[in-house]
Amino acid sequence: SPALAEKYGIGRPALPEEVAAWDHDISPDGTGLPVGSGSVEDGEAIFSENCAICHGEFAEGVDNWPKLAGGDGTLADKDPLKTVGSYWPYLSTVYDYVRRSMPFGAAQTMSDDDVYAITAYILYSNYIVEDDFVLSNENFLDVEMPNAGGFIVDDRETAEASFWTEPCMKDCKEGEVKITMRATVLNVTPEEEGAAEE
Amino acid sequence: MTVRFTSKKPSRRAFLKGTLASTAGVMAGAGAANAAGPDPLITEKQDWAMGTGDGVDETPYGLPIQFEGDVIRRNVEWLTADTISSINFSPIHALDGTITPQGCAFERHHSGAIELRKEDFRLMINGLVDTPLVFTYEDLERFPRVNKTFFLECAANTGMEWAGAQLNGAQFTHGMIHNMEYSGVSLRTLLEEAGVKPEGKWVYVEGADASSNGRSIPIEKALDDCIIAFKANGEALRKEHGYPVRLVVPGWEGNMWVKWVRRIEVKEIAVESREETSKYTDTLEDGTARKWTWVMDAKSVVTSPSPQSPIKHGHGPLVITGLAWSGRGAITRVDVSKDGGKTWETARLANPGQPMALTRFYLDTEWNGEEMYLQSRAMDETGYVQPTKNMLREIRGENSVYHNNCIQTWWVKADGEAENVEVS
């Protein structure tokens, strides 16, 4: 067991300030949430200034940048739109990811209250809360995410048990084998570069 | 005196058009045995046989010779919004053996390849441990070391091919993969140094880059075979592969191989971070999604012939070769079909399959211009057999994005060119 393992005495104890500086992750049960709050109204202004250039004024996405809102009820469609509202299971992930890694190119520049406000605004953009909503560490877990129940743990070993089999070697298909789809019809592969162009 | 020689660089496009003769004027595919007259490459003295080549001080750290200029990583612009959070592809169509040269091994970043000096590197272990610890790079080199070879396959490898045949080349359909020999410290050694408490069921690992790429890993895997690696293929990690230190998670999706790793937190529950909820979850046909699909299933691809590696030598002996791998263990067998899966022959493994590492296979055969629907089918030591795309779609639909380990078909035509197709 790990407790009995040999120790080498390498490294040094981490100081509380150091752990506090780096340990920012937030779990679905709210562990790690900082004290603070932010309103939809404040979030709209902060989002407009810091986020809308890529994600759109209404979190609907610009060009190829991620859409953060919309797509309700599309997960079983031919082309599902997976957003915070339609797909993400936990609000903790929104707060955690925005605070740690957004805005893209200027991550870790927003205050905890700003992140609460942006999170509130993203909820509002997804019609999950009203426009007077204020999100805080105290009511955080009250927010119900629409797709919270939409995930199952990897079940390949049972759902795909038929892939463990003795494979066919001869006469494995009836009739003629025909081409049903060709990549060159789409023609979206980059032209080769390198020696030929130099 | 140093005599320098230059010759015409090979042009893939010219090959494909069938217009290129070799520098000596012998038609490609004919070969010296059929030459009309004596071969001037033999009968005439060549510069390189008379003068001298480069001195040993010419290249302190070398790159491939210029004629290999097309063996490079490639990007597909339309796949992502920008090149910072994006992907490129290893030129597997042009490689042989199993070790991927680091300089052309694929990259996937979420906020770019950062530059982190060894002096600035710190690794923290905190959470449910007896003593939270901080390590420097030098500290890591003092722990007992391990050295093993594993493949790293992006969860999204072949992901563009779910709905049909899209990209025309093994590099693009299967090139989000590399295979390296890693040296480092067992993650178990570091966790034991900190002392994992009994309630510690998960580790959360994050990188030093802005994206952080945090992922949750069950403690059983963390204490089994994960490596905190600082060398790959004999030398320091490349910047773009996590210099100076990355996590190696044998057999599991590449996203979990956190680069520029800075912190490992022992936890009671999974964090359910962005990279294990929004991303790296696999949507099924009914709209529900699988999460924590960590292991990469058995998979293979014929790398030559393939769309970027057409048959140029005419009829006769042909080497069909490719790669096979499985996150569940060692590859035990690869079968190859030339007729779209009606009949199969068992290929030769260049070396016995190693657990969770690339395995090279060969089928030495004879080709006389007949069209082929080339396929390969891997089996691993658990008895898992690589499925067809239709078998996967029947269970998962077309919107899983990740974990497409289907059997690939190349249509080899009478002129030796090959194309990415699906067949009935």
Side-chain angles (χ1 to χ4, degrees), chain A residues 8-9 12 14 25 87 93 100-101 150 152 155 160 163-164 169 172-173 175 178 180-182 184 189 193, chain B residues 74 78 132 134 168 193 210 212 263 265 272 281 289-291 295 340 342 344 382 385 396 419 422 424:
Chain A
Y8 298 93
R12 61 153 176 93
D25 58 88
Y87 191 63
T93 313
R100 191 140 33 93
S101 299
I152 58 166
D155 66 345
E160 297 172 7
F163 298 169
W164 280 265
M169 296 299 284
C172 302
K173 288 182 179 179
K178 285 187 185 146
T180 55
M181 198 166 312
R182 298 178 56 180
T184 54
T189 307
E193 292 164 16
Chain B
R74 288 189 172 84
W78 55 264
V134 170
N168 207 32
E193 190 72 13
S212 95
R263 193 173 67 91
E265 180 181 357
E272 308 257 13
T281 51
R290 288 175 177 156
K291 68 176 181 180
V295 71
K342 278 187 116 152
W344 296 85
T382 70
V385 181
R396 307 184 195 172
E419 183 178 332
E422 287 189 10
S424 57

Side-chain angles (χ1 to χ4, degrees), chain B residues 58-135:
Chain B
E58 179 79 13
T59 313
Y61 198 108
L63 287 171
I65 195 166
Q66 58 179 327
F67 315 121
E68 297 298 313
D70 64 337
V71 187
I72 53 173
R73 296 189 275 233
R74 288 189 172 84
N75 175 32
V76 178
E77 272 180 31
W78 55 264
L79 279 177
T80 50
D82 74 329
T83 57
I84 304 297
S85 179
S86 193
I87 190 86
N88 63 27
F89 300 86
S90 306
I92 56 169
H93 63 288
L95 303 176
D96 208 317
T98 59
I99 295 294
T100 312
Q102 289 199 82
C104 64
F106 91 102
E107 303 166 72
R108 202 285 187 247
H109 318 302
H110 292 78
S111 50
I114 60 166
E115 188 171 282
L116 180 59
R117 301 189 314 161
K118 284 178 182 168
E119 293 86 340
D120 298 336
F121 170 86
R122 296 289 184 275
L123 176 63
M124 182 184 291
I125 295 184
N126 75 305
L128 298 171
V129 293
D130 298 331
T131 314
L133 293 174
V134 170
F135 300 108

Side-chain angles (χ1 to χ4, degrees), chain A residues 22 38 47 65 84 86 93 96 109 111 126 142 153 156 172 183-184 197-198:
Chain A
W22 275 8
F47 193 90
W65 296 100
V84 171
S86 71
T93 313
D96 174 88
T109 56
S111 73
N126 280 288
D142 299 339
V153 174
R156 281 177 288 176
C172 302
T184 54
E197 266 73 36
E198 280 168 19

Side-chain angles (χ1 to χ4, degrees), chain A residues 1-3 5-15 17-32 62-66 74-80 82-83 87-90 92-94 96-97 100-108 147 149-157 159-198, chain B residues 9-13 69-70 72 74-76 78 80-82 84-85 110-111 122 124 126 131-135 139 142-144 163-168 172 189 192-195 204 206 210-212 223 262-263 265 267 269-274 277-278 281 283-295 297 308 328 333 335 339-344 346 373 377 379 382-385 387 391-392 395-396 398-399 401 403 411 413 419-424:
Chain A
S1 102
E6 182 190 359
K7 305 227 188 217
Y8 298 93
I10 302 173
R12 61 153 176 93
L15 301 176
E17 304 92 310
E18 294 172 329
V19 173
W22 275 8
D23 182 351
H24 282 179
D25 58 88
I26 301 159
S27 301
D29 66 1
T31 310
V62 173
D63 297 335
N64 222 358
W65 296 100
T74 65
L75 296 181
D77 290 359
K78 185 167 171 53
D79 290 306
K82 299 196 273 186
T83 71
Y87 191 63
W88 290 36
Y90 304 113
S92 55
T93 313
V94 181
D96 174 88
Y97 182 69
R100 191 140 33 93
S101 299
M102 287 286 137
F104 188 60
Q108 302 188 67
N147 197 42
F151 293 81
I152 58 166
V153 174
D154 184 3
D155 66 345
R156 281 177 288 176
E157 288 186 18
E160 297 172 7
S162 62
F163 298 169
W164 280 265
T165 183
E166 188 54 43
C168 175
M169 296 299 284
K170 259 169 51 175
D171 304 321
C172 302
K173 288 182 179 179
E174 303 261 319
E176 198 186 343
V177 174
K178 285 187 185 146
I179 291 173
T180 55
M181 198 166 312
R182 298 178 56 180
T184 54
V185 173
L186 279 174
N187 196 26
V188 292
T189 307
E191 291 286 305
E192 301 244 331
E193 292 164 16
E197 266 73 36
E198 280 168 19
Chain B
K9 295 171 189 175
S11 156
R12 175 76 60 203
R13 198 165 292 128
D70 64 337
I72 53 173
R74 288 189 172 84
N75 175 32
V76 178
W78 55 264
T80 50
D82 74 329
I84 304 297
S85 179
H110 292 78
S111 50
R122 296 289 184 275
M124 182 184 291
N126 75 305
T131 314
L133 293 174
V134 170
F135 300 108
D139 289 337
R142 296 169 62 205
F143 282 102
Q166 281 222 63
L167 286 162
N168 207 32
F172 302 107
T189 301
E192 287 176 345
E193 190 72 13
Y204 179 70
E206 66 179 10
S211 82
S212 95
L223 293 174
R262 82 170 191 185
R263 193 173 67 91
E265 180 181 357
K267 295 181 67 76
I269 59 173
V271 168
E272 308 257 13
S273 70
R274 187 253 197 180
T277 55
S278 171
T281 51
T283 304
L284 301 169
E285 194 147 34
D286 66 359
T288 62
R290 288 175 177 156
K291 68 176 181 180
W292 301 342
T293 47
W294 299 309
V295 71
D297 279 315
Q308 296 160 286
R328 297 187 189 274
R333 185 173 120 192
D335 299 328
D339 57 9
K342 278 187 116 152
T343 54
W344 296 85
T346 297
Y373 299 133
R377 181 178 68 190
M379 282 179 72
T382 70
Y384 181 98
V385 181
M391 290 163 73
L392 289 170
I395 295 168
R396 307 184 195 172
E398 293 184 359
N399 286 318
V401 182
H403 291 280
W411 173 30
K413 301 166 204 178
E419 183 178 332
N420 176 12
V421 296
E422 287 189 10
V423 294
S424 57

